[in-house]
mmCIF file of all heavy atoms in Angstrom:
data_model
loop_
_atom_site.group_PDB
_atom_site.id
_atom_site.type_symbol
_atom_site.label_atom_id
_atom_site.label_comp_id
_atom_site.label_asym_id
_atom_site.label_seq_id
_atom_site.Cartn_x
_atom_site.Cartn_y
_atom_site.Cartn_z
ATOM 1 N N PHE A 13 1.591 -1.993 26.334
ATOM 2 C CA PHE A 13 1.066 -0.752 25.784
ATOM 3 C C PHE A 13 -0.185 -0.403 26.573
ATOM 4 O O PHE A 13 -1.071 -1.241 26.751
ATOM 5 C CB PHE A 13 0.738 -0.908 24.296
ATOM 6 C CG PHE A 13 0.531 0.407 23.594
ATOM 7 C CD1 PHE A 13 1.615 1.145 23.131
ATOM 8 C CD2 PHE A 13 -0.745 0.920 23.420
ATOM 9 C CE1 PHE A 13 1.431 2.361 22.506
ATOM 10 C CE2 PHE A 13 -0.941 2.142 22.784
ATOM 11 C CZ PHE A 13 0.151 2.864 22.324
ATOM 12 N N ALA A 15 -3.773 0.555 27.932
ATOM 13 C CA ALA A 15 -5.116 0.486 27.355
ATOM 14 C C ALA A 15 -5.635 1.868 26.981
ATOM 15 O O ALA A 15 -6.379 2.025 26.009
ATOM 16 C CB ALA A 15 -6.068 -0.190 28.331
ATOM 17 N N SER A 16 -5.216 2.876 27.728
ATOM 18 C CA SER A 16 -5.664 4.239 27.451
ATOM 19 C C SER A 16 -4.970 4.847 26.238
ATOM 20 O O SER A 16 -5.327 5.948 25.803
ATOM 21 C CB SER A 16 -5.384 5.132 28.669
ATOM 22 O OG SER A 16 -3.985 5.160 28.954
ATOM 23 N N GLY A 17 -3.990 4.131 25.679
ATOM 24 C CA GLY A 17 -3.225 4.693 24.571
ATOM 25 C C GLY A 17 -3.777 4.372 23.199
ATOM 26 O O GLY A 17 -3.405 5.015 22.208
ATOM 27 N N TYR A 18 -4.689 3.382 23.099
ATOM 28 C CA TYR A 18 -5.162 2.968 21.772
ATOM 29 C C TYR A 18 -6.028 4.036 21.114
ATOM 30 O O TYR A 18 -5.875 4.313 19.916
ATOM 31 C CB TYR A 18 -5.933 1.649 21.876
ATOM 32 C CG TYR A 18 -5.088 0.496 22.340
ATOM 33 C CD1 TYR A 18 -5.353 -0.143 23.555
ATOM 34 C CD2 TYR A 18 -4.017 0.038 21.578
ATOM 35 C CE1 TYR A 18 -4.573 -1.205 23.993
ATOM 36 C CE2 TYR A 18 -3.228 -1.017 22.004
ATOM 37 C CZ TYR A 18 -3.515 -1.638 23.218
ATOM 38 O OH TYR A 18 -2.741 -2.681 23.639
ATOM 39 N N ALA A 19 -6.948 4.630 21.845
ATOM 40 C CA ALA A 19 -7.836 5.637 21.260
ATOM 41 C C ALA A 19 -7.057 6.867 20.766
ATOM 42 O O ALA A 19 -7.293 7.331 19.637
ATOM 43 C CB ALA A 19 -8.919 6.045 22.258
ATOM 44 N N PRO A 20 -6.115 7.417 21.560
ATOM 45 C CA PRO A 20 -5.326 8.541 21.040
ATOM 46 C C PRO A 20 -4.521 8.168 19.797
ATOM 47 O O PRO A 20 -4.360 8.989 18.893
ATOM 48 C CB PRO A 20 -4.408 8.903 22.211
ATOM 49 C CG PRO A 20 -5.145 8.433 23.426
ATOM 50 C CD PRO A 20 -5.843 7.184 23.000
ATOM 51 N N LEU A 21 -4.042 6.921 19.756
ATOM 52 C CA LEU A 21 -3.296 6.477 18.581
ATOM 53 C C LEU A 21 -4.217 6.439 17.359
ATOM 54 O O LEU A 21 -3.830 6.880 16.263
ATOM 55 C CB LEU A 21 -2.719 5.084 18.856
ATOM 56 C CG LEU A 21 -1.473 4.646 18.083
ATOM 57 C CD1 LEU A 21 -0.330 5.636 18.283
ATOM 58 C CD2 LEU A 21 -1.047 3.244 18.529
ATOM 59 N N ALA A 22 -5.426 5.950 17.545
ATOM 60 C CA ALA A 22 -6.403 5.929 16.449
ATOM 61 C C ALA A 22 -6.734 7.346 15.998
ATOM 62 O O ALA A 22 -6.888 7.609 14.792
ATOM 63 C CB ALA A 22 -7.663 5.188 16.877
ATOM 64 N N ASP A 23 -6.844 8.279 16.940
ATOM 65 C CA ASP A 23 -7.161 9.661 16.582
ATOM 66 C C ASP A 23 -6.021 10.297 15.778
ATOM 67 O O ASP A 23 -6.268 11.105 14.870
ATOM 68 C CB ASP A 23 -7.453 10.476 17.826
ATOM 69 C CG ASP A 23 -8.772 10.087 18.479
ATOM 70 O OD1 ASP A 23 -9.629 9.507 17.780
ATOM 71 O OD2 ASP A 23 -8.935 10.337 19.697
ATOM 72 N N ARG A 24 -4.795 9.956 16.108
ATOM 73 C CA ARG A 24 -3.662 10.471 15.329
ATOM 74 C C ARG A 24 -3.700 9.931 13.899
ATOM 75 O O ARG A 24 -3.388 10.650 12.941
ATOM 76 C CB ARG A 24 -2.343 10.094 16.016
ATOM 77 C CG ARG A 24 -2.147 10.770 17.359
ATOM 78 C CD ARG A 24 -0.955 10.207 18.112
ATOM 79 N NE ARG A 24 0.318 10.583 17.521
ATOM 80 C CZ ARG A 24 1.493 10.175 17.980
ATOM 81 N NH1 ARG A 24 1.543 9.383 19.046
ATOM 82 N NH2 ARG A 24 2.607 10.553 17.386
ATOM 83 N N ARG A 26 -6.464 9.083 12.356
ATOM 84 C CA ARG A 26 -7.568 9.787 11.693
ATOM 85 C C ARG A 26 -7.078 11.100 11.096
ATOM 86 O O ARG A 26 -7.437 11.456 9.973
ATOM 87 C CB ARG A 26 -8.707 10.056 12.688
ATOM 88 C CG ARG A 26 -9.477 8.830 13.109
ATOM 89 C CD ARG A 26 -10.453 9.151 14.228
ATOM 90 N NE ARG A 26 -11.551 9.998 13.769
ATOM 91 C CZ ARG A 26 -12.437 10.567 14.586
ATOM 92 N NH1 ARG A 26 -12.328 10.396 15.900
ATOM 93 N NH2 ARG A 26 -13.402 11.299 14.094
ATOM 94 N N PHE A 37 -7.937 -0.894 14.531
ATOM 95 C CA PHE A 37 -6.706 -1.655 14.383
ATOM 96 C C PHE A 37 -7.039 -3.104 14.066
ATOM 97 O O PHE A 37 -7.919 -3.696 14.690
ATOM 98 C CB PHE A 37 -5.877 -1.602 15.677
ATOM 99 C CG PHE A 37 -5.484 -0.218 16.079
ATOM 100 C CD1 PHE A 37 -6.109 0.413 17.151
ATOM 101 C CD2 PHE A 37 -4.481 0.468 15.404
ATOM 102 C CE1 PHE A 37 -5.757 1.693 17.526
ATOM 103 C CE2 PHE A 37 -4.122 1.758 15.779
ATOM 104 C CZ PHE A 37 -4.760 2.359 16.846
ATOM 105 N N TRP A 211 -14.723 -3.085 20.491
ATOM 106 C CA TRP A 211 -13.800 -1.986 20.787
ATOM 107 C C TRP A 211 -14.462 -0.620 20.614
ATOM 108 O O TRP A 211 -14.610 0.132 21.582
ATOM 109 C CB TRP A 211 -12.540 -2.071 19.916
ATOM 110 C CG TRP A 211 -11.489 -1.100 20.371
ATOM 111 C CD1 TRP A 211 -10.883 -1.059 21.605
ATOM 112 C CD2 TRP A 211 -10.935 -0.012 19.619
ATOM 113 N NE1 TRP A 211 -9.981 -0.013 21.659
ATOM 114 C CE2 TRP A 211 -9.984 0.639 20.461
ATOM 115 C CE3 TRP A 211 -11.135 0.462 18.331
ATOM 116 C CZ2 TRP A 211 -9.253 1.748 20.040
ATOM 117 C CZ3 TRP A 211 -10.396 1.568 17.906
ATOM 118 C CH2 TRP A 211 -9.465 2.206 18.750
ATOM 119 N N GLY A 215 -16.324 1.971 23.869
ATOM 120 C CA GLY A 215 -15.597 3.141 24.349
ATOM 121 C C GLY A 215 -14.127 3.195 24.021
ATOM 122 O O GLY A 215 -13.401 4.026 24.570
ATOM 123 N N ARG A 216 -13.647 2.292 23.140
ATOM 124 C CA ARG A 216 -12.244 2.310 22.686
ATOM 125 C C ARG A 216 -11.240 2.207 23.844
ATOM 126 O O ARG A 216 -10.250 2.932 23.894
ATOM 127 C CB ARG A 216 -11.952 3.568 21.856
ATOM 128 C CG ARG A 216 -12.791 3.700 20.605
ATOM 129 C CD ARG A 216 -12.237 4.748 19.664
ATOM 130 N NE ARG A 216 -12.059 6.053 20.303
ATOM 131 C CZ ARG A 216 -11.379 7.061 19.763
ATOM 132 N NH1 ARG A 216 -10.825 6.931 18.576
ATOM 133 N NH2 ARG A 216 -11.266 8.220 20.391
ATOM 134 N N GLY A 217 -11.493 1.291 24.741
ATOM 135 C CA GLY A 217 -10.536 1.053 25.823
ATOM 136 C C GLY A 217 -9.527 -0.001 25.416
ATOM 137 O O GLY A 217 -8.864 0.111 24.385
#
Side-chain angles (χ1 to χ4, degrees):
F13 195 83
S16 60
Y18 296 116
L21 205 56
D23 290 338
R24 294 171 71 182
R26 289 172 69 189
F37 300 106
W211 190 60
R216 300 194 305 168

